[in-house]
Structures are given as C-alpha cells and as structure tokens.
Amino acid sequence: QVQLVESGGGLVQPGGSLRLSCLASGISFSNYETTWYRQAPGKERELVAFISETGGDTTTYADTVKGRFTISRDKGKNTVHLQMNSLKPEDTATYYCNARHWASRSLDYWGQGTQVTVAS
C-alpha cells in the first residue's frame, strides 16, 4: 500500500521559516516526479514546487515562491522536503505532496495535506 505522509506544517509569523516533509512508503521517490501543491480556502490548488525523479533532479517553482522555497530529496530517507523561507501571509494554505511515476503516469499518489498558517 502506498502512502505519502506530509509533516512540518504549523503557525509561523511573517518572515519566518518552515520545512515541510513528505515521507513515502510503498514507493521509491527515485522513480517518481514529486510536486508540492497548495490550496488556500476558496482558491484552486496550485503548483508550488516540482522535482524530477533521480537522474534528472530538475526543479521548478511557482513564480510566487521562487527564491524563497527550495524543494529537495533525501534519498536515504525516501523523503522530499520543502524548505520555506521568508514566509508571507499569502503562503497560508494546505500543502499537499504528490508523487507520479515518471513512466507509468497512472501511478499517481497524494498525501493528506499539512496546514501552513502565516500570521502575526
């Protein structure tokens, strides 16, 4: 059974930092493209950051987070992190981890989400 479990969310003041983690069981991130999405109340889910499967390690970011967020993979722990710095109130959302196999696109998994609230 495949599971993605996000952690690391919470309440932080503007300008602060958080590191989100997505731990996978049942799959290896080495074979999956991994994406962090977020969804704020009343808004559509949006892509935040992407990292390709091992071998590519291509990363892309939404313009709204470029230069502030960093996505990375810890191969030994089968975990993908999202380091979020200089947080703004508009970063408040539920953050979701998605893993999709680089070749078999139907192998597509989501975590349950972790809440990030940026407020003073």
Side-chain angles (χ1 to χ4, degrees):
Q1 184 178 359
V2 176
Q3 272 195 314
L4 301 182
V5 179
E6 300 101 331
S7 62
L11 172 64
V12 64
Q13 291 187 341
S17 298
L18 284 173
R19 188 175 83 153
L20 305 184
S21 298
C22 177
L23 173 65
S25 58
I27 62 169
S28 170
F29 274 133
S30 298
N31 298 317
Y32 284 75
E33 300 171 342
T34 308
T35 307
W36 283 97
Y37 290 86
R38 68 185 181 188
Q39 188 167 21
K43 294 188 177 181
E44 292 189 356
R45 189 170 295 188
E46 62 175 349
L47 184 150
V48 176
F50 164 90
I51 187 167
S52 64
E53 75 285 2
T54 301
D57 271 356
T58 299
T59 58
T60 59
Y61 298 91
D63 287 343
T64 52
V65 307
K66 206 170 291 184
R68 300 188 296 123
F69 291 11
T70 303
I71 189 170
S72 63
R73 181 189 296 113
D74 184 332
K75 300 173 186 176
K77 296 182 179 179
N78 207 27
T79 300
V80 171
H81 299 290
L82 183 68
Q83 178 66 43
M84 306 187 297
N85 299 328
S86 303
L87 283 162
K88 305 175 181 180
E90 51 264 43
D91 294 318
T92 296
T94 302
Y95 284 70
Y96 298 90
C97 176
N98 170 262
R100 187 170 65 169
H101 196 278
W102 70 273
S104 301
R105 309 306 264 172
S106 62
L107 299 179
D108 190 330
Y109 305 102
W110 290 87
Q112 82 290 347
T114 186
Q115 178 66 37
V116 171
T117 302
V118 185
S120 54

